[in-house]
Amino acid sequence: MVKVPNIAVEPPGPKAKAIIDLDTKFLATSTKASPIAIERGEGSLIWDVDGNTYLDFASGVAVLNLGHSHPAVVKAIKQQAQDFTHFAGTDYYYDVQSRLAERICSISNVPGERRVFLSNSGTESNEAALKLARWSTQRKLFISFIGGFHGRTLGSLSLTASKAVQQERYFPSMPGVTHLPFAYCYRCPYHLDYPSCDIWCAKILEELHFEDYLPSEEVAAMFMEPVQGEGGYIVPPEEFVQIMHSTCKRHGILFVDDEVQAGMARTGRMWALEHHGVVPDIMCTAKALGSGVPIGATVFRKELDWGKKGSHSNTYGGNPIACAAALVTIETIEKEGLVEQADRKGEHMRKRLGEMKAVHEIIGDVRGLGLMRAAEFVKDRRTKEPAVKERDAIEELCVRRGLVAIGCGKSGIRIIPPLNIPMELLDIGLDILEGAIRDVGRDMVR
Ligand SMILES: Cc1ncc(COP(=O)(O)O)c(C=O)c1O
C-alpha cells in the first residue's frame, strides 16, 4: 500500500515554529524555501515535527537520488563510523578512500587514464578544477555561462552567473572570467529562434570573442553545466554543447563538465553530458555522490595531474564516512538500475508535464531530462513575462497539500524526486502539483 501525503497541521505547526524562531535568531544568511521542519525521512516521503507527511520532489536539491535514509547507505555510514571517522585522507591511506577513487574514476565520463581529487562540496570540486586548469595549462583565463551556477566560494563564484544577489558586494572576485549567454532557447538572449538561429550563441565565441578581445591561447578552461540547474533547468541543444566543445579542443582549452546537480543518474544517464555526445577533460561531481554526506570529486585526465606534493589539498576531502556513503551510493545506483529508472520515469513525467502545459496557460515552458525536470511559469504566453509571485504561490500551495518542490531560475519549479520513487507516488505528486498550478492559474486569470 502506498502511503499518501497527509497534512494534519497547516505548516508551520507549533513545533516547527519553535525551530524556525531559534533558527532565525542564530543562523546566518538564509535561502529557506518553505516552513517545513523535518523529523524523519524514508524513501520519497518525509515527516515533519508536527506530524505532517510530505512527498519529496526536491530530494534535498538533487542530493537524495536514492531517497531519504536508504538502508544500504545508513548501514555503510554506521559501519564506517564504528570503524573510524577520520584519518586525514590527504595525509594517510585507507581502503575505503582508495576504493572510492577507483570506482569514481571507472564510472566517470572522462576518457583515458584518470585521477580524482576528493573534497567536500560542489563549490570545492569546481575550485579544484579551476586550480588544476591553471596549473596544467599555465593559462589564466576562464569561460563560463550566464545562468550558470558553480558555487559560492570566491573562485567558483566568479564562474557563477545565476542571480545578481549571489554576487552583490563581492566584486572583485577572481578576475579573467568571460560569461557567455547560454543556449536558453525559450528566452533566447539574442532573440533568435532555434534551429533557424544556426546556433549563433555557440559560434559567436570564435567569430566575435576570440577575434575581438579574448586571446584564446590564454584561456585555460570552459566550465559548463550540461543542464543548467539553478539557472532554470535549461537543456541546451546538443549542437550548442558540441560546437563549444570542439571550439575548446581547437584552442587547447580544457572543457570542464559541472555535473554537481545533473550527474549521478539524475537525467537518465550517469552523467548528463552523455546526452550531448561529448566527453570532458575535467568532470566535477558532488551533491548526490554522498547521498547526504558531504563529498565532492573532481575527475580529470591523468596528464593534467598536479604531480607535486601540496599543490592542492584539504583536511576533510575523502573523509571515510563520506567515502563509505559514496561507494554504497554508486553500488546502489547500479544494483537498483537507477539510470534506467530515471530515464523511464522521466519519460512519464515529460508526458504528464506536456499534458499540463496543454491545459494550463500559466505554464510557459516545460523542459528537462530524465527526472531532472521543471515547469516555467509566465503571466502571458506571448510576452513571457515571468510569473514570479505565482510560482511562489504554487510552491506554497504544494507544501500545504503535502508536496515539497523547490524553485529554479526566475519563475520555474524543479521537479526532482528520488530516482527510485514508486510510480504511484510520482503520479500523486504530479497530481498535487497540477492542482496547485490550476488553482493559482485560475486566480491569476481572475
Ligand atoms: C551545478 C552546480 N555546481 C556547483 C554547485 C555548488 O555546490 P555546493 O552547494 O555543494 O557547493 C551547485 C549547487 O547547487 C550546482 O548546482
Side-chain angles (χ1 to χ4, degrees):
M1 239 317 247
V2 172
K3 296 174 211 159
V4 293
N6 171 31
I7 298 299
V9 184
E10 178 106 341
K15 287 186 180 165
K17 269 192 191 129
I19 292 169
I20 292 167
D21 282 351
L22 199 62
D23 190 292
T24 315
K25 212 163 161 189
F26 292 105
L27 214 73
T29 174
S30 156
T31 53
K32 300 276 198 289
S34 294
I36 302 171
I38 186 172
E39 187 167 75
R40 189 168 70 81
E42 190 185 315
S44 302
L45 296 173
I46 60 172
W47 287 263
D48 78 5
V49 288
D50 293 294
N52 297 318
T53 315
Y54 304 85
L55 238 170
D56 188 358
F57 268 21
S59 297
V61 198
V63 166
L64 302 163
N65 287 5
L66 272 50
H68 290 264
S69 299
H70 191 291
V73 177
V74 173
K75 188 174 166 210
I77 292 172
K78 274 187 179 166
Q79 183 59 55
Q80 186 57 51
Q82 243 162 26
D83 293 347
F84 61 96
T85 58
H86 182 69
F87 193 51
T90 43
D91 293 335
Y92 305 103
Y93 297 91
Y94 40 82
D95 177 55
V96 69
Q97 179 178 241
S98 315
R99 281 191 294 124
L100 177 65
E102 188 276 326
R103 287 300 285 133
I104 293 185
C105 285
S106 70
I107 64 162
S108 103
N109 56 348
V110 175
E113 263 195 84
R114 299 146 234 192
R115 294 282 183 272
V116 60
F117 178 83
L118 296 173
S119 56
N120 312 285
S121 62
T123 197
E124 284 172 82
S125 69
N126 281 309
E127 292 287 343
L130 279 168
K131 290 177 74 175
L132 181 69
R134 277 203 173 160
W135 174 268
S136 58
T137 63
Q138 298 192 47
R139 298 177 176 192
K140 303 275 179 267
L141 307 179
F142 295 97
I143 294 171
S144 64
F145 293 91
I146 295 176
F149 188 92
H150 300 282
R152 294 172 185 268
T153 49
L154 270 181
S156 306
L157 182 67
S158 62
L159 302 169
T160 290
S162 148
K163 287 193 180 77
V165 68
Q166 293 156 358
Q167 305 285 352
E168 195 180 326
R169 300 194 193 190
Y170 298 130
F171 284 112
S173 49
M174 185 184 71
V177 181
T178 295
H179 294 99
L180 300 176
F182 196 63
Y184 183 6
C185 297
Y186 180 66
R187 295 180 188 279
C188 173
Y190 301 101
H191 297 278
L192 297 171
D193 290 313
Y194 175 78
S196 60
C197 60
D198 200 26
I199 320 290
W200 171 239
C201 55
K203 294 182 176 164
I204 196 172
L205 175 58
E206 244 175 356
E207 292 187 24
L208 207 89
H209 296 272
F210 287 170
E211 278 293 314
D212 291 357
Y213 77 99
L214 186 61
S216 63
E217 65 280 6
E218 291 184 30
V219 180
M222 169 185 283
F223 282 70
M224 186 191 285
E225 290 170 86
V227 178
Q228 274 194 347
E230 302 304 300
Y233 278 37
I234 299 160
V235 186
E238 64 174 29
E239 307 96 293
F240 171 79
V241 182
Q242 288 168 0
I243 294 169
M244 285 297 185
H245 185 269
S246 57
T247 307
C248 284
K249 289 289 112 185
R250 264 195 303 286
H251 295 270
I253 297 167
L254 300 174
F255 187 92
V256 184
D257 175 22
D258 184 342
E259 296 271 356
V260 169
Q261 186 151 172
M264 298 298 294
R266 171 57 60 190
T267 66
R269 302 280 189 282
M270 192 65 185
W271 310 109
L273 194 67
E274 292 172 39
H275 290 279
H276 305 304
V278 294
V279 292
D281 298 293
I282 304 176
M283 188 271 286
C284 301
T285 177
K287 282 194 187 277
L289 176 61
S291 287
V293 184
I295 183 164
T298 310
V299 186
F300 49 89
R301 289 194 285 109
K302 178 192 160 216
E303 313 84 81
L304 306 176
D305 199 357
W306 286 280
K308 203 168 186 181
K309 210 170 170 176
S311 291
H312 189 47
S313 187
N314 55 24
T315 298
Y316 264 127
N319 167 269
I321 294 179
C323 287
L327 261 176
V328 77
T329 298
I330 295 169
E331 197 180 292
T332 307
I333 286 175
E334 289 174 351
K335 224 188 232 168
E336 294 188 5
L338 293 186
V339 172
E340 183 277 327
Q341 286 202 43
D343 198 33
R344 181 167 41 82
K345 293 172 192 171
E347 181 52 23
H348 176 73
M349 204 201 275
R350 186 190 66 76
K351 282 195 193 128
R352 285 221 46 192
L353 290 174
E355 286 160 13
M356 289 183 207
K357 189 186 165 198
V359 290
H360 303 294
E361 280 285 312
I362 190 173
I363 302 179
D365 193 27
V366 288
R367 53 182 177 250
L369 293 168
L371 282 179
M372 181 177 189
R373 295 196 181 261
E376 179 170 335
F377 301 101
V378 291
K379 285 182 187 292
D380 179 320
R381 280 197 179 169
R382 199 180 44 80
T383 63
K384 298 185 182 175
E385 186 187 340
V388 181
K389 273 195 198 133
E390 290 77 6
R391 185 273 312 274
D392 294 348
I394 291 167
E395 214 179 304
E396 197 188 317
L397 206 51
C398 282
V399 167
R400 285 184 7 224
R401 294 174 181 179
L403 178 73
V404 181
I406 198 166
C408 63
K410 265 198 185 64
S411 61
I413 286 188
R414 53 190 125 186
I415 309 153
I416 42 171
L419 309 182
N420 50 11
I421 186 172
M423 283 304 278
E424 299 93 313
L425 283 184
L426 184 61
D427 272 326
I428 289 170
L430 289 169
D431 289 345
I432 297 174
L433 177 68
E434 179 163 17
I437 291 170
R438 182 186 305 115
D439 292 350
V440 171
R442 199 189 297 130
D443 287 350
M444 188 175 77
V445 171
R446 276 200 220 116

